[in-house]
Amino acid sequence: MITRRGFLKFAGVSFLSLASLGAYAVGIEPMLLTHVKRYQLTPPHWPAGLKLRVAVLSDIHACHPWMTPERIASLAAEANALKPDVIVMLGDYPAGTRLVTGWVDASEWAPALSGLKAPLGVLSILGNHDWWHDPFAQQAGAGPTVARKALESVGIAVLENDAVRLEKDGQGFWIAGLADQLALRPNKAKGRDKFKGLDDLDGTLAKVSDQAPIILLAHEPDIFPKVPWRVSLTLSGHTHGGQVRLFGYSPVVPSRFGNRFAYGHVVENDRNLIVSGGLGFSIAPVRFGMRPEILQIDLG
């Protein structure tokens, strides 16, 4: 039988353990040196002999004190150091939580990303927070958003239901980018009773004019069941790996598919999806078991 002293000792140790875990999840893991997560694969439709390295940054969520312009600039330098052929960004540049000590405006985070350099260029898409944080775009139900204009002002192309053809060593491939699937918030005055996406998968892929392989950028991974086998690889963010991930499971995932597309490399019916754990966070400034990460993807 446990004594009163024993119970108090147990309670004290438990409280300190929980407090330590909380301090680590809020104050330490979000600030750890960025992890480089590496993937190597040869997906369907990928030409023999085409070696391509893609660096991926997702869900930056700029804010003080965790994701300052200085830290964003250092992330750009880390991505460059991987010596990728092309760099892609998967959306959600502004803060995703109000629990911050200060806001980082687009006029600050975009210049911090301007240092990104790759031989075949830097391409980006937008995420839900890039739309949700823009009241004028929400009111109009259309862009261009502040985030898009900020990225383009520093020379970073933004793909919204568009595709571009690139070439390496005489072999072509396409990068297609979807507009956001949750872009417009519910607005009764506008007749919207639920989130409205602006994505057009069929229209985007229709812009691909030859049989070269396609890499699809889609902020939310929930589009993946609709992606045809013609697409060699889909890259997504949004979930942050659940922000808390233990033993390969995330208790909370912002996806209607739960853990199915929460994180990592998913193969279904010979179709390939890679979901980034991202760099920042939303709702709460917590990461546990899911360090900030940049992806290095070697294809071929």
Side-chain angles (χ1 to χ4, degrees), residues 246-261:
L246 299 171
F247 308 108
Y249 177 80
S250 301
V252 179
V253 182
S255 165
R256 67 179 183 274
F257 295 102
N259 271 264
R260 180 177 168 186
F261 305 137

Side-chain angles (χ1 to χ4, degrees), residues 184-228:
L184 302 179
R185 290 177 177 270
N187 185 327
K188 291 183 179 179
K190 294 287 183 179
R192 295 196 302 265
D193 58 358
K194 58 183 180 180
F195 289 100
K196 179 182 178 182
L198 298 177
D199 54 302
D200 180 0
L201 179 61
D202 292 340
T204 301
L205 297 181
K207 296 180 179 181
V208 174
S209 59
D210 60 24
Q211 295 304 307
I214 305 168
I215 299 172
L216 177 68
L217 313 181
H219 180 68
E220 293 90 357
D222 285 14
I223 194 72
F224 186 59
K226 299 179 182 179
V227 175

Side-chain angles (χ1 to χ4, degrees), residues 38-43 51 53 265 274 296-300:
R38 293 177 169 85
Y39 296 93
Q40 186 165 4
L41 64 152
T42 303
K51 303 290 186 181
R53 175 168 292 179
H265 186 193
I274 295 178
Q296 175 187 303
I297 303 173
D298 289 300
L299 299 173

